């Protein structure tokens, strides 16, 4: 399971990076980029990150 970020919707609030700094980076352009760690994260954390995005730019895949 992984999170997919819709970079066209992202507004750069950084909630994802604040909740899971090992999984996300907000770049200099202010847009989120998931970090491909190759590590499977806990479903609870992934759901929290998706639910916390204020513009719903994240989804589970």
């Amino acid at each position: 399971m992984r999170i997919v970020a819709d970079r066209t919707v992202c507004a750069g609030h950084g909630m994802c990076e604040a909740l899971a700094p090992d999984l996300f980076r907000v770049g200099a352009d202010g847009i989120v980029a998931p970090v491909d760690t190759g590590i499977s994260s806990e479903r609870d954390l992934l759901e929290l990150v998706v639910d916390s995005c204020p513009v719903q730019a994240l989804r589970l895949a």
Side-chain angles (χ1 to χ4, degrees), residues 14-32:
M15 290 298 297
C16 53
E17 186 177 31
L19 292 169
D22 293 337
L23 302 176
F24 297 94
R25 293 286 181 268
V26 175
D29 61 357
I31 304 299
V32 68

Side-chain angles (χ1 to χ4, degrees), residues 25-47:
R25 293 286 181 268
V26 175
D29 61 357
I31 304 299
V32 68
V35 177
D36 185 11
T37 62
I39 299 170
S40 178
S41 297
E42 293 183 25
R43 182 177 182 89
D44 290 343
L45 175 60
L46 296 177
E47 289 176 350

Side-chain angles (χ1 to χ4, degrees), residues 2-7 24 34 50 56-61:
R2 63 189 181 93
I3 292 183
V4 176
D6 184 343
R7 295 175 48 86
F24 297 94
V50 169
Q56 300 176 346
L58 304 173
R59 66 178 172 82
L60 292 176

